[in-house]
């Protein structure tokens, strides 16, 4: 659950985009070399989990965020900035 302002800050995915005209991660646009080994290349090594942790439950996060997805949904806040996005007063949620 991310607000409109933080939507632009979300990270890129590994798979190439469907439409190759404006895609930045395809071989045609010069974004990636053919037969390049990602483990051996020194630039932009991908780490699945960063050093950031959720403020509430201390779970490791994979994006630059303050809250994990489950805590953000329970509170109705943006996972990246903590802004109130959703009113969860009438929701029936468990405490677990």
């Amino acid at each position: 659950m991310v607000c409109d302002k933080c939507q632009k800050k979300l990270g890129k995915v590994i798979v190439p985009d469907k439409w190759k005209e404006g895609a930045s991660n395809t071989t045609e646009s010069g974004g990636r070399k053919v037969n390049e080994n990602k483990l051996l290349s020194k630039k932009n090594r991908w780490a699945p989990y960063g050093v950031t942790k959720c403020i509430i439950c201390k779970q490791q996060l994979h994006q630059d965020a303050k809250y994990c997805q489950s805590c953000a949904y329970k509170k109705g806040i943006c996972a990246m900035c903590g802004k109130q996005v959703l009113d969860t007063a009438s929701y029936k949620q468990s405490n677990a």
Side-chain angles (χ1 to χ4, degrees), residues 67-82:
Y67 303 98
C68 67
Q69 194 65 27
S70 60
C71 291
Y73 183 74
K74 286 178 188 174
K75 302 280 185 185
I77 56 177
C78 172
M80 297 184 90
C81 66

Side-chain angles (χ1 to χ4, degrees), residues 50-73:
V51 293
T52 57
K53 292 187 176 185
C54 175
I55 294 173
I56 299 171
C57 67
K58 308 295 188 235
Q59 180 181 1
Q60 285 188 339
L61 303 174
H62 64 280
Q63 296 254 338
D64 293 330
K66 295 180 182 178
Y67 303 98
C68 67
Q69 194 65 27
S70 60
C71 291
Y73 183 74

Side-chain angles (χ1 to χ4, degrees), residues 7-58:
Q7 187 75 31
K8 296 178 269 183
K9 297 179 190 176
L10 288 176
K12 305 282 183 195
V13 292
I14 274 185
V15 291
D17 295 333
K18 285 185 177 180
W19 307 106
K20 294 184 179 181
E21 295 174 3
S24 62
N25 56 354
T26 58
T27 57
E28 286 83 10
S29 64
R32 192 174 72 111
K33 295 178 185 174
V34 177
N35 294 330
E36 177 186 14
N37 190 343
K38 287 302 215 181
L39 291 174
L40 298 177
S41 64
K42 295 292 180 187
K43 63 174 189 166
N44 297 335
R45 284 192 74 170
W46 182 70
Y49 296 104
V51 293
T52 57
K53 292 187 176 185
C54 175
I55 294 173
I56 299 171
C57 67
K58 308 295 188 235

